[in-house]
């Protein structure tokens, strides 16, 4: 009965293959049946029985149900090539009877058609790759060493910047202190000069006049009020007294008031049809005594002007007037030959004349015959604001140098920082270097330590794919190790519609050039870039790092 065991086992449906055959590693996790043994096409548009996956019949519009048979057109088939390197081939070459060189495991054809030659191919590849790696590393490490030299030069330059700016700061601080002293002295000097000007007889007399006018105005207002009240009393007396009492004192008072106010006698009002109205007097109205015409001298103010304009006059800014006056009396009369002699002299002797004038003026000042400009003209306030401005400019310059020093100190800290430009500063040279590659509808760009972008080739908006965030953040990788610098993270890019913010993982390996080789969007808006750089080509002979530990420089990259 043993022969029964040798019989071939019943095959699944003709053409059907293992469910996981041909699936790219990053998609393997998506090929799992549901509880009811169904499966949803990768585009999410159709649910099919799990048995339909890799059954050699195309069921999904996106062709995702046939990763391993070539039944759906325009798909990619993944050969695992265990022992070597996995690779993709077009699905049209699956089961075409030809052994694909890229599929050394023979998985592209039915079992038994092609031999699995991955061990041999893998070994040969490794040997060749090791040789190439050796050359690459040797050349790459030479370039890398120029990067390190650059970092040291940059360090030196920054140290010099720090040193010079420190010296500049010391000098500039002294200069600021000196200018502050000048500004403060100019300000107190100008206060003293003003105080002196205020003592001039003209100014003190002006202030006395102003005070006298203010007092007069105050008294005048009081009198007007008093007069109003008195005229009310007299009006009441005039209209309310009883003439039958024959009180002469009252009659005299009423007649007197009528005369001053220009009113008809109260007893005559109505008698011979002369009314107050006819007499030009309105009922309940106090006659305007002030309306009496009086002679007003030229330049004197009328009652109306006194009423309307006196307040404005008394509110004048006397200090400004004083300074204007001072400037006015200092300035030479227009067209005065005396004050503009220089313009009448031949050019050749103007300098001697100016020198002579200065000497005479300073002599006159020192003998007290004239006052020096600083204490006698309005130039004091101008000088004050000028010295303040000079001080502010000097303070701004000081802050600028301080900022320069601070930036240089921060840059210096980053150069040999394991989290920054690497233990040996080998990455500093690449700060801001931009790498590009075209892929489908887009050109992808990454500016190292800056920003990654997706630029449409046929117009449209460029998306930010994120800014540099860190080296490999995985806890298994230690900062400073070679592996740490093989991955950069760029995040917080433009947000996807209904999705996450775009981000990039940049995988780097040693290469003689800085290049961006490939871009894949692994998940929606999550991009994986691969590239090369000499910065990762550590010398082949093991390298003693600063911490004394051996690096993994010689480790095979495959
Ligand atoms: C754009 C590109 C794509 C991305 C979609 C998401 O078309 O950024 O890479 O997948 O937006 O909506």
């Amino acid at each position: 009965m043993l022969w029964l065991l040798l019989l071939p086992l019943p095959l699944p449906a003709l053409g059907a293959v293992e469910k996981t055959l041909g699936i790219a590693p990053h998609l393997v996790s998506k090929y799992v049946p549901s509880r009811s043994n169904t499966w949803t096409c990768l585009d999410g548009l159709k649910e099919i029985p799990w048995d339909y996956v890799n059954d050699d019949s195309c069921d999904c519009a996106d062709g995702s149900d046939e990763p391993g048979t070539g039944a759906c057109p325009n798909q990619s088939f993944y050969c695992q090539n265990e022992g070597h390197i996995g690779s993709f081939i077009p699905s049209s070459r699956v089961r075409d009877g030809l052994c694909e060189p890229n599929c050394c495991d023979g998985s592209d054809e039915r079992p038994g058609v092609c031999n699995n030659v991955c061990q041999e191919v893998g070994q040969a590849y490794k040997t060749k790759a090791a040789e190439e790696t050796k050359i690459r590393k040797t050349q790459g490490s030479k370039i890398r060493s120029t990067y390190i030299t650059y970092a040291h030069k940059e360090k030196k330059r920054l140290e010099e910047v720090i040193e010079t700016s420190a010296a500049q700061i010391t000098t500039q601080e002294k200069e600021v202190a000196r200018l502050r002293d000048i500004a403060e002295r100019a300000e107190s000097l100008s206060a003293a000069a003003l105080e002196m000007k205020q003592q001039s007889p003209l100014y003190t007399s002006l202030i006395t006049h102003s005070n006298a006018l203010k007092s007069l105005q105050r008294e005048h207002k009081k009198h007007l009020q008093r007069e109003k009240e008195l005229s009310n009393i007299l009006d009441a007396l005039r209209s309310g007294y009883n003439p039958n009492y024959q009180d002469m004192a009252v009659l005299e008072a009423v007649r007197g008031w009528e005369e001053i106010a220009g009113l008809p006698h109260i007893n005559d009002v109505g008698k011979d049809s002369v009314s107050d109205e006819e007499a030009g007097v309105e009922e309940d109205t106090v006659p305007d005594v002030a309306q009496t015409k009086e002679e007003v001298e030229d330049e004197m103010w009328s009652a109306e002007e006194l009423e309307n304009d006196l307040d404005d006059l008394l509110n004048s800014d006397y200090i400004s007037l004083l300074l204007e006056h001072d400037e006015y009396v200092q300035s030479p009369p227009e067209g005065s030959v005396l004050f503009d002699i220089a313009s009448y002299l031949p050019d050749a002797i103007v300098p001697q004349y100016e020198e002579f004038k200065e000497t005479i003026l300073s002599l006159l000042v020192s003998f007290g015959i004239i006052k020096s400009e600083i204490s006698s003209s309005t130039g004091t306030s101008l000088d004050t604001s000028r010295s303040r401005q000079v001080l502010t400019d000097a303070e701004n310059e000081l802050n600028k140098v301080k900022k320069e020093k601070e930036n240089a100190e921060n840059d210096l800290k980053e150069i040999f920082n394991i989290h920054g430009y690497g233990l040996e500063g080998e990455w500093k040279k690449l700060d801001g270097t931009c790498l590009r590659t075209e892929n489908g509808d887009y050109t992808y760009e990454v500016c190292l330590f800056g920003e990654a972008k997706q630029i449409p080739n046929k117009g449209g908006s460029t998306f930010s794919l994120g800014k540099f965030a860190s080296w490999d953040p995985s806890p298994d990788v230690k900062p400073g190790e070679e592996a740490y610098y093989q991955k950069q993270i760029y995040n917080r890019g433009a947000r996807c519609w209904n999705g996450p913010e775009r981000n990039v993982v940049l995988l780097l390996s040693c290469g003689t050039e800085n290049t961006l080789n490939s871009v894949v969007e692994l998940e929606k808006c999550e991009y994986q870039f691969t590239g090369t750089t000499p910065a990762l080509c550590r010398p082949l002979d093991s390298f003693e790092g600063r911490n004394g530990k051996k690096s993994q420089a010689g480790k095979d990259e495959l």
Side-chain angles (χ1 to χ4, degrees):
M1 295 299 265
L2 242 172
W3 61 271
L4 270 177
L5 293 173
L6 297 173
L7 277 178
L9 287 169
L11 281 170
L14 188 69
V17 293
E18 235 180 87
K19 299 287 184 219
T20 52
L21 187 72
I23 302 172
H26 71 277
L27 292 176
V28 169
S29 60
K30 308 225 165 177
Y31 284 79
V32 181
S34 69
R35 276 201 200 144
S36 49
N37 217 31
T38 61
W39 185 79
T40 306
C41 305
L42 287 187
D43 61 8
L45 298 177
K46 196 173 171 189
E47 195 176 341
I48 56 172
W50 173 242
D51 283 350
Y52 286 13
V53 173
N54 271 345
D55 71 343
D56 207 13
S57 161
C58 197
D59 299 293
C60 294
D62 64 354
S64 57
D65 61 311
E66 294 301 317
T69 65
C72 298
N74 302 326
Q75 301 297 305
S76 291
F77 175 92
Y78 182 75
C79 317
Q80 286 187 13
N81 294 343
E82 220 168 284
H84 184 40
I85 302 162
S87 78
F88 289 96
I89 59 162
S91 56
S92 56
R93 295 191 191 167
V94 176
R95 299 188 180 192
D96 62 354
L98 298 172
C99 301
E100 285 301 313
N102 284 346
C103 276
C104 58
D105 60 1
S107 61
D108 60 312
E109 296 301 324
R110 289 196 170 81
V113 177
C114 304
N115 290 334
N116 184 338
V117 289
C118 282
Q119 288 307 323
E120 298 92 296
V121 173
Q123 197 47 52
Y125 175 85
K126 275 178 196 155
T127 314
K128 193 165 170 261
E131 268 165 35
E132 277 173 11
T133 306
K134 201 171 161 184
I135 297 166
R136 190 161 47 98
K137 285 206 164 190
T138 318
Q139 285 174 358
S141 69
K142 278 187 190 148
I143 303 171
R144 182 179 182 272
S145 68
T146 66
Y147 292 178
I148 295 171
T149 311
Y150 173 86
H152 283 281
K153 277 195 189 140
E154 192 57 8
K155 176 178 179 261
K156 208 161 164 252
R157 187 188 69 81
L158 289 170
E159 280 166 351
E160 275 164 16
V161 170
I162 294 167
E163 202 179 312
T164 359
S165 46
Q168 273 174 3
I169 289 170
T170 318
T171 322
Q172 193 65 11
E173 271 172 349
K174 281 189 194 141
E175 181 64 359
V176 165
R178 187 182 75 82
L179 292 172
R180 181 170 294 121
D181 187 45
I182 291 176
E184 281 167 4
R185 269 193 295 131
E187 274 159 11
S188 63
L189 207 114
S190 83
L194 182 65
E195 214 170 290
M196 209 198 82
K197 286 178 210 293
Q198 282 174 294
Q199 282 160 22
S200 87
L202 191 63
Y203 181 77
T204 46
S205 170
L206 176 68
I207 297 299
T208 314
H209 277 75
S210 163
N211 289 339
L213 259 182
K214 272 184 202 156
S215 316
L216 268 178
Q217 191 193 38
R218 187 193 62 221
E219 292 305 310
H220 176 62
K221 280 183 183 158
K222 270 201 245 164
H223 285 302
L224 281 180
Q225 184 59 29
R226 210 168 127 95
E227 186 195 293
K228 196 167 174 255
E229 282 161 12
L230 282 173
S231 62
N232 287 343
I233 294 169
L234 288 168
D235 272 344
L237 183 67
R238 176 174 170 254
S239 54
Y241 94 102
N242 187 345
N244 298 332
Y245 289 159
Q246 297 290 334
D247 184 332
M248 292 314 285
V250 174
L251 185 63
E252 210 171 304
V254 168
R255 286 230 183 251
W257 168 234
E258 284 168 344
E259 197 177 328
I260 292 173
L263 298 169
H265 183 45
I266 191 73
N267 291 351
D268 301 337
V269 175
K271 252 193 209 164
D272 49 0
S273 340
V274 179
S275 64
D276 269 4
E277 212 174 317
E278 282 163 346
V281 178
E282 278 174 35
E283 283 278 329
D284 298 330
T285 307
V286 180
D288 189 357
V289 184
Q291 267 177 2
T292 329
K293 282 271 173 248
E294 51 185 353
E295 283 292 300
V296 177
E297 268 180 44
D298 277 357
E299 307 289 327
M300 277 182 73
W301 285 28
S302 66
E304 200 183 19
E305 282 170 318
L306 277 175
E307 176 73 23
N308 298 331
D309 305 339
L310 190 56
D311 280 342
D312 284 348
L313 182 72
L314 292 172
N315 284 333
S316 303
D317 177 358
Y318 294 113
I319 299 286
S320 302
L321 280 174
L322 173 65
L323 296 175
E324 275 169 35
H325 167 78
D326 216 33
E327 198 173 16
Y328 179 77
V329 295
Q330 294 287 328
S331 61
E334 250 181 57
S336 160
V337 181
L338 268 179
F339 285 88
D340 196 16
I341 293 172
S343 59
Y344 293 84
L345 295 175
D347 287 352
I349 60 164
V350 169
Q352 285 98 312
Y353 162 73
E354 291 292 352
E355 206 177 307
F356 169 73
K357 194 177 97 182
E358 287 301 313
T359 319
I360 295 292
L361 284 175
S362 59
L363 276 173
L364 292 175
V365 169
S366 61
F367 287 124
I369 298 167
I370 59 167
K371 283 175 187 156
S372 81
E373 256 183 45
I374 192 147
S375 60
S376 65
S377 81
T378 48
T380 48
S381 60
L382 288 178
D383 287 346
T384 308
S385 58
R386 212 174 294 132
S387 48
R388 265 284 149 197
Q389 188 54 52
V390 173
L391 170 64
T392 312
D393 291 348
E395 282 172 335
N396 289 343
E397 179 60 26
L398 174 62
N399 290 338
K400 204 178 105 197
V401 186
K402 278 185 176 169
K403 190 83 211 141
E404 254 170 43
K405 181 168 172 264
E406 196 185 308
N407 288 345
E409 279 166 350
N410 290 339
D411 284 357
L412 187 63
K413 269 187 226 149
E414 283 299 299
I415 292 192
F416 297 106
N417 179 346
I418 49 169
H419 300 281
Y421 298 117
L423 258 183
E424 297 177 282
E426 66 271 36
W427 294 94
K428 176 67 187 169
K429 172 81 179 157
L430 299 178
D431 184 12
T433 297
C434 298
L435 313 174
R436 284 180 160 221
T437 189
E438 253 191 60
N439 187 318
D441 293 341
Y442 300 100
T443 294
Y444 289 87
E445 180 188 81
V446 59
C447 294
L448 298 172
F449 304 97
E451 191 173 7
K453 286 179 186 162
Q454 185 188 47
I455 307 152
N457 292 333
K458 292 176 196 138
S461 18
T462 292
F463 288 116
S464 165
L465 301 185
K467 291 201 172 129
F468 176 74
S470 71
W471 292 105
D472 193 340
S474 145
D476 311 332
V477 180
K478 287 198 194 81
E481 276 180 3
E482 186 166 6
Y484 181 68
Y485 302 108
Q486 286 169 350
K487 193 188 267 188
Q488 283 194 335
I489 308 292
Y490 291 76
N491 61 21
R492 296 178 168 253
R495 185 173 287 284
C496 258
W497 192 73
N498 264 352
E501 286 170 337
R502 289 174 173 82
N503 62 74
V504 172
V505 173
L506 169 61
L507 301 177
L508 290 164
S509 59
C510 156
T512 48
E513 281 173 22
N514 289 296
T515 52
L516 189 55
N517 297 331
S518 71
V519 172
V520 255
E521 191 172 344
L522 290 178
E523 295 278 337
K524 195 177 171 192
C525 297
E526 292 186 1
Y527 305 82
Q528 180 182 280
F529 289 13
T530 56
T532 62
T533 171
L536 276 172
C537 303
R538 298 200 182 194
L540 281 174
D541 47 333
S542 55
F543 152 74
E544 293 277 337
R546 288 186 170 193
N547 52 11
K549 282 184 194 162
K550 283 195 175 182
S551 79
Q552 303 169 325
K555 215 173 146 186
D556 198 330
E557 284 180 347
L558 281 175

